[in-house]
Amino acid sequence: MKLLVTGGAGYIGGVVAAQLVEAGHEVTVLDDLSTGHADAVPPGARFVEATITEAADVLPGTDAVFHFAAKSLVGESVERPGLYWAHNLGGTLALLDSMRAAGVGRIVFSSTAATYGEPERHPILETDPTRPTNPYGASKLAVDTALTAFARLYGLAAVSLRYFNVAGAYTAADGRTYRERHTVETHLIPNVLAVARRLRESVGVFGTDYPTPDGTCVRDYIHVADLARAHLLALDACSEGEHRIYNLGNGTGFSVTEVLSVCREVTGHEIPAVVRERRPGDPAVLVASSEKIQRDLGWKPERASIREIVADAWAALPR
Ligand SMILES: NC(=O)c1ccc[n+]([C@@H]2O[C@H](COP(=O)([O-])OP(=O)(O)OC[C@H]3O[C@@H](n4cnc5c(N)ncnc54)[C@H](O)[C@@H]3O)[C@@H](O)[C@H]2O)c1
């Protein structure tokens, strides 16, 4: 199939683009390189440096779009909400309009656990209330809402995948490795590993008084290779006039303290940690139920161990 991957020079988009190329698809990556890296685009994919509002030229003849391009820093979204509404919602609406004009009827969208906000129970089901606590989550939820409307009104075939905490690295069949390389890194595992690489002196632990077994936040970590595989299944599951929403996580939570101790074991470094204030809007626990995608699409995590996730991320880092 002829596929367009927006944000395919980013961490997750690069892995999905690589898996799509490996599966024999004809892939075009559209990315403005605002947070991505041109060398994350897999060999075998065409690269177009442009923003999502300029997708009209590349869409004709495309069978489906994988839409990763977004602004995704929670703190920045609180400080600059307009930027998030304009990019994430406005940009996606422009993309959807260009898709309609070009007759492209399928989309797989990167949604997020942040659409749920502070959950009432665990694990989180897709039917649970969506009450985002920041503009990032709200803008992603607004796109989910728009996709439902576009499916009903225009027959769009859409799947939203609500990722929990994506981590780890992917090594493709040709030996190339795809890893997390955010310039502004807010994710725990790369920040902890940066200490092990002596790029930072210590890692901050934001809050130790949460109602969790050890007082630190609990999150559901999913290996980027497992997550990417779900996108290929979602492509096949896209059905005209239907918008499906699936959570993507492992269904098991690990606390910040537990992740730190696994990182210490894997790297053999001491990794000093400094306790800091809670970050506003950080839920105590975020764990997915991925039963729906397992049941409907037959997806199963193959690398669910936190040790394997950390070990793959560590092995992919330059030293
Ligand atoms: N990493 C996670 O744990 C996580 C969790 C939940 C959801 N997500 C979502 O997954 C997607 C990918 O995340 P990531 O971690 O790979 O981020 P990333 O920053 O590595 O990748 C995003 C890519 O999109 C590009 N981009 C941004 N705005 C663009 C625009 N307007 N036009 C064209 N290209 C643009 C960037 O240059 C970058 O290459 C995002 O939509 C993010 O919100 C990520």
Side-chain angles (χ1 to χ4, degrees):
M1 270 194 258
K2 217 178 147 200
L3 305 170
L4 180 68
V5 179
T6 77
Y11 169 47
I12 302 168
V15 176
V16 173
Q19 290 195 358
L20 291 170
V21 169
E22 281 174 32
H25 296 292
E26 194 184 320
V27 176
T28 297
V29 164
L30 180 139
D31 198 301
D32 66 3
L33 298 182
S34 50
T35 58
H37 309 267
D39 65 3
V41 177
R46 178 166 79 110
F47 177 47
V48 176
E49 187 176 338
T51 81
I52 48 174
T53 53
E54 300 164 331
D57 291 347
V58 294
L59 279 166
T62 299
D63 295 302
V65 173
F66 289 83
H67 181 32
F68 298 93
K71 298 222 160 281
S72 47
L73 295 172
V74 169
E76 182 184 59
S77 81
V78 173
E79 280 159 25
R80 302 180 67 191
L83 188 70
Y84 278 68
W85 288 110
H87 268 80
N88 293 357
L89 180 60
T92 303
L93 290 175
L95 175 68
L96 290 174
D97 282 340
S98 305
M99 285 173 61
R100 273 188 71 208
V104 181
R106 282 208 248 184
I107 186 166
V108 178
F109 171 62
S110 304
S111 188
T112 166
T115 54
Y116 294 109
E118 182 77 54
E120 282 166 10
R121 59 169 184 179
H122 297 286
I124 302 170
L125 294 170
E126 291 83 350
T127 46
D128 283 352
T130 41
R131 291 186 288 241
T133 52
N134 53 65
Y136 164 65
S139 68
K140 289 281 186 172
L141 180 61
V143 172
D144 283 344
T145 311
L147 290 175
T148 304
F150 274 62
R152 185 166 37 86
L153 284 170
Y154 309 125
L156 183 71
V159 175
S160 291
L161 298 174
R162 288 191 173 153
Y163 314 157
F164 282 61
N165 285 51
V166 190
Y170 175 65
T171 302
D174 63 5
R176 274 171 64 99
T177 297
Y178 299 80
R179 66 181 170 90
E180 207 162 355
R181 282 192 278 166
H182 299 119
T183 314
V184 179
E185 190 54 84
T186 57
H187 297 150
L188 180 64
I189 293 173
N191 280 334
V192 173
L193 297 182
V195 180
R197 291 169 75 202
R198 305 191 196 285
L199 300 176
R200 300 170 54 159
E201 290 200 349
S202 62
V203 66
V205 175
F206 298 99
T208 51
D209 56 353
Y210 283 96
T212 58
D214 64 28
T216 62
C217 285
V218 169
R219 295 289 180 269
D220 183 337
Y221 295 87
I222 173 165
H223 197 295
V224 69
D226 283 337
L227 180 101
R229 208 160 23 79
H231 290 70
L232 280 78
L233 298 171
L235 173 66
D236 295 337
C238 276
S239 152
E240 199 180 316
E242 198 181 36
H243 175 215
R244 298 190 192 187
I245 297 178
Y246 293 114
N247 288 341
L248 265 178
N250 278 318
T252 311
F254 293 94
S255 72
V256 173
T257 304
E258 287 171 320
V259 171
L260 260 167
S261 108
V262 172
C263 289
R264 288 182 180 124
E265 264 172 51
V266 166
T267 63
H269 288 255
E270 191 187 333
I271 311 182
V274 178
V275 174
R276 301 202 189 284
E277 290 287 294
R278 287 183 180 199
R279 287 182 301 201
D282 247 358
V285 180
L286 279 178
V287 175
S289 162
S290 295
E291 267 179 30
K292 188 179 170 200
I293 192 165
Q294 301 206 20
R295 194 178 55 238
D296 286 7
L297 308 192
W299 175 81
K300 251 198 165 72
E302 287 171 1
R303 302 178 197 189
S305 115
I306 187 74
R307 203 190 155 82
E308 186 170 2
I309 291 172
V310 169
D312 284 359
W314 179 239
L317 288 169
R319 281 194 283 283

